[in-house]
Amino acid sequence: MHQPLVAISTDVRQFDNYTWHAAPQQYLEAAVAGAGVFPLLVPSFGDRLDFDELLSSVDGVMVTGSKSNVHPSLYGGDASEANGPYDPARDATTLPLIRRAIERGVPLLAICRGIQELNVALGGTLGTEIQEREGSLDHRAPVSDKQDERFAIHQTISIKPGSCLAGVFGAGEIKVNSLHRQAIDRLGSKLEIEAVATDGTVEAVSVKGARAFAVGVQWHPEYWVNSDSNSAKIFRAFGDAVRLHAAAKAGSRAAAE
């Protein structure tokens, strides 16, 4: 089966006396098994990269989750150590890549840190340590050494009727996992809310008037893509959008020849 290329964000980490640009395997597995695409890791070199050249070569962009947080200086927040850790090289890469992908109509799926990057890229702000807010649920991962327990599906969210994700899941409630301590505060002007948790926390957004699939989710569908139907649905929808974009590009090239 043809596998269109999808650009995948990377974290910058120090390991074994080397600097690594890497992504967790669970996102790459979900890209291959769930979306049916070829994941291409994009090093976090910021404006040293030609994003237009990249986006001419790929048919989708996936922005992954991470232990690091978007640097608060990018949205007027508190840049304290408590709100870290940070990865400024990733910020300098993902934010302009997100904006350019939207402008060019390249399908976009942003997960966890990714939805927060999407919001900041489009002028929004983030709330930190949201479990401390009055009336808020604790959205952090359950305390456990076992990943299956940390990523357990246990939280109810409501999908907005008539939204992009209503076309994926149907309107109403679904169950997801939750492993975050930050969330969208002020919504970016070009975004609309797709889903919320029972405490009102924004759980999914889409880009208004987007030329292609452009969605961010706060939960982690990548972890259960092979066993949970809702996790599989969102990757299938993204993969379908990527293949549609690839077909349109191929058609344009053929017409020009």
Side-chain angles (χ1 to χ4, degrees), residues 7 21 27-28 31-32 42 55 115 130 141 164 198 215 230 255:
H21 294 236
Y27 295 97
L28 308 181
V32 176
V42 178
L55 293 170
I115 189 179
I130 60 170
C164 175
T198 55
V215 168
N230 284 326

Side-chain angles (χ1 to χ4, degrees), residues 103-191:
E103 290 168 2
R104 292 186 54 144
V106 177
L108 171 71
L109 176 59
I111 299 170
C112 194
R113 188 195 209 270
I115 189 179
Q116 297 172 16
E117 289 164 299
L118 172 59
N119 192 52
V120 172
L122 298 183
T125 65
L126 303 176
T128 60
E129 306 304 336
I130 60 170
Q131 69 277 358
E132 298 176 2
R133 299 187 305 196
E134 184 176 355
S136 177
L137 298 172
D138 189 342
H139 292 264
R140 294 174 297 180
V143 178
S144 176
D145 292 330
K146 298 177 180 179
Q147 286 292 78
D148 282 2
E149 293 179 358
R150 296 184 68 249
F151 282 85
I153 294 172
H154 66 276
Q155 178 173 278
T156 300
I157 65 169
S158 297
I159 306 296
K160 180 182 175 182
S163 65
C164 175
L165 289 185
V168 176
F169 303 117
E173 295 183 343
I174 65 170
K175 291 274 194 179
V176 300
N177 48 25
S178 185
L179 294 92
H180 61 101
R181 58 189 178 91
Q182 296 198 149
I184 289 174
D185 186 10
R186 187 183 74 243
L187 192 68
S189 60
K190 295 182 180 180
L191 295 175

Side-chain angles (χ1 to χ4, degrees), residues 223-244:
Y223 193 83
W224 300 108
V225 70
N226 291 316
S227 59
D228 173 63
S229 62
N230 284 326
S231 297
K233 284 176 182 177
I234 192 164
F235 278 97
R236 190 178 307 120
F238 175 57
D240 289 345
V242 169
R243 280 180 285 278
L244 185 64

Side-chain angles (χ1 to χ4, degrees), residues 26-93:
Q26 62 201 48
Y27 295 97
L28 308 181
E29 170 67 25
V32 176
V37 301
F38 190 122
L40 180 69
L41 297 184
V42 178
S44 291
F45 286 136
D47 61 10
R48 295 170 62 190
L49 301 178
D50 185 336
F51 295 118
D52 281 316
E53 182 69 24
L54 172 65
L55 293 170
S56 294
S57 303
V58 302
D59 293 298
V61 173
M62 187 167 79
V63 189
T64 69
S66 175
K67 286 187 177 181
S68 67
N69 292 322
V70 178
H71 199 279
S73 65
L74 296 169
Y75 58 88
D78 176 19
S80 67
E81 184 177 343
N83 290 329
Y86 305 120
D87 188 344
R90 169 166 166 152
D91 295 337
T93 306

